[in-house]
């Protein structure tokens, strides 16, 4: 009896301990969840601190008559410098210039303004992410820098009070975070850009931190005239995977992005690239007010600019947090838009498998064959001009795209149901198609600057990929929820998914900077070599 009672007491204690442990675990899980929620809320608050009214306030001051166009070395430029210093002080950022000040003066009488937010990670805080914009403009303008009229204040609202105000908003957002990102943030307002990118060149030659420890540089220049939700990105080929990186930060903004293959020494990101640092520049395009007195604050799309600044904040934060650095890519210096065109011209569409010209414009059933090529699969199978293809492998053909897609994705032989003049019943014709079938109906190229990416060069009309909405130029980033390191792994993933049958294959695709999820119906087949 005593032994049984002892066992009961032990069992009761164990039960109480178990309850306590469950309560502790639940509390810890709740605490962890609460911390994550609070962290997300704090990050969102920082992001939301970038607002159109604040953008407008900064631009209205910087582009005011008082600053007389902010020409480098003038009193107006000094007033802008003072304003920037006051803002960085208000954000409680640390001075990043020389002698413990925000200023980095350089000859003859110019001055960069630099602020710093130290990183929070002991191992990564000595690495740096630079966000920059030039704050000078052309003053009253002259024949070398203005499109007239001269001798009037050129306010430079878009060029580049817009980039300067966006930079201030990004800096403020970082200052609001309860914990700084892992790497150190450096915010640089460059002077004398209009005189020949002198400010950024000076920083590159006299860096305020070790240049080899700068992970990346983001530049904002003329970001105040957003139109049709379109942003131009320069420098995406200066770092491996830059395009995918920025596109993945574009989710909420959903900008349409033009990734320009142009890298010239005409803006503040270039000296950083020349120093071996990956760079990106955000730009909303040229306009008729460029370098004219009409570049005024009232013409700025402040809501659009605040969205561009938010994208810059997201990208800069990700760069400051990610474990690995974006790798520098030297080849970008030798690439041009013509290089891109030559790469695309090297790819060839998949060859014809049937060897017949299709015409679905003529009235009547099916798809009319208006020409049969000599020695083609169609001729060998006995197909004739004016035959009408009603079905391919028992699938009804309503348009020529249907037949093209069916032929390109079909195993050989393809079973055609053909209506021929003079025949009472449709004919069943077996065609030994040329070449390999394309499972999805796509062909592609790869790009050294975009590792682990498939770039579509052809999408066969009527094939599964086309029906799902894929287009030439789309970038495929993931297949079935998985990344791939090269095109062979991509094909293996496609092949494995095709064997499963049932539900559609899921692809994560980027088009003009926008991420899309595309579901492609499965069609069994085989084949590789940059076509699927």
């Amino acid at each position: 009896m005593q032994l049984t009672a002892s066992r009961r007491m032990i069992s009761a204690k164990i039960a109480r301990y178990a309850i306590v442990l469950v309560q502790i675990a639940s509390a810890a899980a709740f605490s962890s969840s609460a911390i994550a929620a609070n962290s997300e809320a704090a990050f969102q608050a920082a992001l939301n601190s970038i607002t159109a009214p604040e953008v407008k306030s900064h631009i209205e001051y910087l582009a005011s008559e008082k600053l007389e166009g902010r020409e480098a070395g003038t009193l107006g430029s000094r007033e802008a410098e003072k304003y920037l210093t006051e803002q960085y002080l208000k954000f409680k950022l640390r001075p990043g210039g020389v002698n413990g000040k925000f200023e980095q003066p350089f000859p003859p009488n110019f001055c960069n303004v630099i602020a710093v937010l130290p990183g929070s990670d002991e191992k990564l805080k000595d690495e740096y992410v630079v966000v920059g914009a030039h704050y000078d403009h052309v003053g009253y303008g002259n024949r070398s820098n203005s499109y007239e009229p001269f001798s009037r204040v050129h306010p430079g609202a878009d060029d580049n009070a817009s980039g300067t105000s966006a930079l201030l908003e990004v800096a403020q957002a970082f200052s609001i975070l309860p914990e700084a990102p892992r790497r150190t943030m450096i915010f640089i307002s460059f002077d004398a850009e209009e005189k020949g990118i002198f400010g950024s060149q000076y920083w590159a030659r006299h860096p305020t931190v070790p240049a080899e420890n700068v992970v990346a540089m983001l530049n904002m220049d003329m970001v105040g005239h957003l139109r049709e939700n379109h942003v131009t990105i320069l420098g995406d080929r200066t770092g491996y995977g830059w395009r995918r990186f920025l596109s993945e930060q574009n989710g909420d903004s959903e900008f349409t992005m033009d990734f320009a293959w142009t890298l010239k020494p005409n803006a503040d990101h270039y000296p950083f690239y020349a120093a071996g640092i990956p760079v990106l520049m955000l730009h909303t395009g040229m306009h008729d007010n460029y370098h004219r007195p009409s570049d005024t604050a009232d013409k700025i799309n402040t809501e659009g600019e605040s969205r561009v600044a938010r994208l810059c904040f997201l990208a800069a934060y990700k760069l400051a947090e990610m474990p690995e650095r974006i790798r520098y890519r030297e080849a970008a210096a030798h690439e041009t838009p013509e290089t891109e065109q030559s790469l695309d011209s090297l790819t060839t569409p998949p060859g014809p498998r049937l060897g017949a010209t299709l015409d679905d414009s003529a009235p009547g059933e099916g798809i009319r064959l208006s020409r049969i090529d000599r020695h083609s699969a169609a001729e060998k199978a006995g197909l004739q001009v004016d035959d009408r293809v009603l079905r391919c492998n028992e699938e009804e053909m309503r348009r020529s795209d249907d037949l093209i897609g069916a032929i390109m994705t079909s195993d050989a032989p393809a079973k055609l149901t053909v209506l021929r003049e003079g025949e009472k019943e449709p004919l069943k014709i077996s065609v030994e198609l040329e070449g390999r079938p394309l499972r999805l109906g796509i062909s592609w190229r790869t790009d050294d600057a975009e590792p682990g990416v498939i770039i579509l060069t052809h999408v066969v009309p009527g094939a599964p990929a086309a029906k799902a909405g894929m287009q030439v130029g789309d970038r495929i980033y993931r297949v079935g929820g998985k990344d791939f390191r090269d095109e062979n792994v991509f094909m293996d993933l496609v092949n494995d998914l095709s064997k499963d049958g049932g539900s559609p294959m899921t692809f994560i695709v980027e088009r003009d900077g926008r991420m899309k999820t595309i579901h492609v119906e499965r069609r069994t087949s085989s084949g590789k070599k940059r076509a699927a």
Side-chain angles (χ1 to χ4, degrees):
M1 292 289 291
Q2 290 177 347
L3 183 59
T4 301
S6 297
R7 285 177 176 170
R8 286 175 179 169
M9 289 175 63
I10 292 170
S11 297
K13 285 182 179 180
I14 291 173
R16 287 198 298 272
Y17 290 150
I19 292 170
V20 171
L21 288 172
V22 169
Q23 291 173 336
I24 291 171
S26 298
F30 176 79
S31 175
S32 176
S33 176
I35 290 170
N38 288 338
S39 177
E40 177 61 30
F43 182 84
Q44 196 62 44
L47 183 63
N48 291 341
S49 73
I50 301 173
T51 66
E54 289 186 357
V55 164
K56 181 180 179 182
S57 177
H58 293 312
I59 292 178
E60 286 180 340
Y61 180 77
L62 292 167
S64 66
E65 290 281 332
K66 176 183 177 181
L67 271 63
E68 299 182 303
R70 307 184 309 282
E71 183 176 2
T74 66
L75 291 176
S77 179
R78 297 288 73 81
E79 285 296 318
E81 175 194 325
K82 179 181 176 183
Y83 181 80
L84 293 168
T85 300
E86 289 172 350
Q87 298 303 309
Y88 289 139
L89 279 169
K90 186 168 72 173
F91 303 155
K92 295 182 171 54
L93 297 172
R94 294 186 185 180
V98 297
N99 300 323
K101 298 181 179 181
F102 288 97
E103 295 81 13
Q104 184 194 33
F106 59 98
N109 57 346
F110 307 142
C111 187
N112 294 329
V113 184
I114 307 172
V116 173
L117 178 67
S120 59
D121 187 287
E122 284 300 317
K123 293 182 179 179
L124 294 179
K125 69 180 181 180
D126 291 330
E127 293 185 359
Y128 308 93
V129 176
V130 173
V131 184
H134 76 89
Y135 69 91
D136 68 298
H137 194 50
V138 299
Y140 286 85
N142 57 51
R143 293 188 183 278
S144 67
N145 61 20
S146 169
Y147 291 102
E148 303 185 81
F150 308 138
S151 303
R152 286 174 51 186
V153 170
H154 288 50
D158 191 28
D159 186 16
N160 187 34
S162 66
T164 303
S165 63
L167 174 63
L168 290 173
E169 288 295 282
V170 170
Q172 176 183 251
F174 272 99
S175 74
I176 289 172
L177 292 170
E179 183 179 41
R182 301 172 70 187
R183 291 184 175 87
T184 292
M185 296 299 307
I186 300 180
F187 308 99
I188 308 181
S189 304
F190 297 107
D191 198 5
E193 190 268 359
E194 299 290 1
K195 294 185 180 295
I197 59 174
F198 291 164
S200 51
Q201 284 182 344
Y202 186 84
W203 190 95
R205 292 170 186 153
H206 305 86
T208 52
V209 298
E212 63 272 17
N213 288 354
V214 176
V215 170
M217 189 273 188
L218 304 180
N219 185 29
M220 290 182 286
D221 199 337
M222 295 181 65
V223 292
H225 277 231
L226 184 71
R227 287 151 289 183
E228 298 180 354
N229 211 34
H230 185 82
V231 178
T232 297
I233 307 298
L234 293 94
D236 72 287
R237 301 185 66 76
T238 65
Y240 290 95
W242 255 142
R243 176 169 177 152
R244 178 172 183 171
F245 169 86
L246 191 62
S247 297
E248 288 176 341
Q249 315 313 310
N250 186 35
D252 292 336
S253 301
E254 286 199 335
F255 290 121
T256 298
M257 294 181 179
D258 175 19
F259 294 91
W261 284 43
T262 303
L263 192 63
K264 298 179 179 179
N266 60 358
D268 287 314
H269 56 283
Y270 194 87
F272 284 78
Y273 174 68
I277 298 166
V279 298
L280 286 177
M281 185 177 110
L282 284 69
H283 176 57
T284 56
M286 302 297 290
H287 46 78
D288 291 341
N289 303 305
Y290 174 71
H291 280 214
R292 290 184 170 91
S294 55
D295 184 11
T296 52
D298 59 295
K299 297 183 178 72
I300 298 297
N301 178 354
T302 55
E303 179 57 40
E305 179 178 329
S306 67
R307 292 174 55 224
V308 175
R310 288 190 200 113
L311 174 62
C312 184
F313 171 77
L314 290 169
Y317 185 84
K318 179 72 172 179
L319 287 167
E321 284 284 290
M322 59 198 294
E324 301 296 327
R325 301 167 60 149
I326 295 287
R327 291 189 300 119
Y328 175 74
R329 187 171 175 274
E330 186 178 2
H334 312 290
E335 296 174 335
T336 65
E338 290 71 29
T339 310
E340 180 181 24
Q341 292 173 7
S342 67
L343 283 175
D344 287 334
S345 68
L346 291 175
T347 61
T348 56
R353 304 191 68 207
L354 180 62
T357 302
L358 312 182
D359 175 20
D360 58 2
S361 63
E365 290 184 86
I367 310 303
R368 175 177 170 267
L369 305 183
S370 60
R371 171 179 169 159
I372 303 297
D373 297 338
R374 291 187 64 190
H375 310 301
S376 67
E379 184 184 66
K380 292 174 184 176
L383 290 169
Q384 301 176 11
V385 172
D386 290 331
D387 279 355
R388 291 178 174 271
V389 180
L390 304 179
R391 287 184 293 278
C392 177
N393 299 330
E394 302 307 319
E395 182 181 349
E396 187 175 357
M397 300 290 103
R398 296 185 177 87
R399 303 175 306 149
S400 57
D401 283 359
D402 294 338
L403 183 53
I404 293 170
I407 291 295
M408 294 305 293
T409 59
S410 174
D411 287 312
K415 308 294 184 181
L416 302 187
T417 303
V418 175
L419 190 63
R420 179 174 293 169
E421 188 173 352
E423 298 289 343
K424 293 182 179 180
E425 297 293 332
L427 306 175
K428 301 288 186 178
I429 297 179
S430 179
V431 183
E432 289 292 341
L433 300 171
E434 302 286 344
R436 291 191 174 108
L438 308 182
R439 177 173 295 103
L440 304 176
I442 59 174
S443 53
W444 62 80
R445 67 174 174 87
T446 57
D447 190 323
D448 168 68
E450 302 181 54
V453 177
I454 294 298
I455 303 168
L456 300 191
T457 54
H458 300 283
V459 179
V460 175
K467 289 180 179 179
M470 286 188 178
Q471 299 179 13
V472 171
D474 283 354
R475 267 86 172 151
I476 298 178
Y477 289 158
R478 308 193 89 197
V479 181
K482 295 180 180 179
D483 292 325
F484 47 89
R485 66 178 179 272
D486 56 39
E487 56 189 324
N488 291 324
V489 178
F490 168 75
M491 277 305 309
D492 288 341
L493 288 171
V494 171
N495 289 335
D496 289 344
L497 287 172
S498 297
K499 294 173 185 175
D500 294 340
S503 59
M505 291 184 280
T506 300
F507 295 82
I508 301 299
V509 171
E510 176 254 306
R511 181 182 303 157
D512 298 327
R514 295 183 176 187
M515 305 297 290
K516 300 176 180 291
T517 301
I518 293 182
H519 302 288
V520 179
E521 294 294 336
R522 303 166 194 266
R523 185 174 285 179
T524 58
S525 186
S526 60
K528 279 194 179 184
K529 295 193 177 178
R530 296 198 172 181

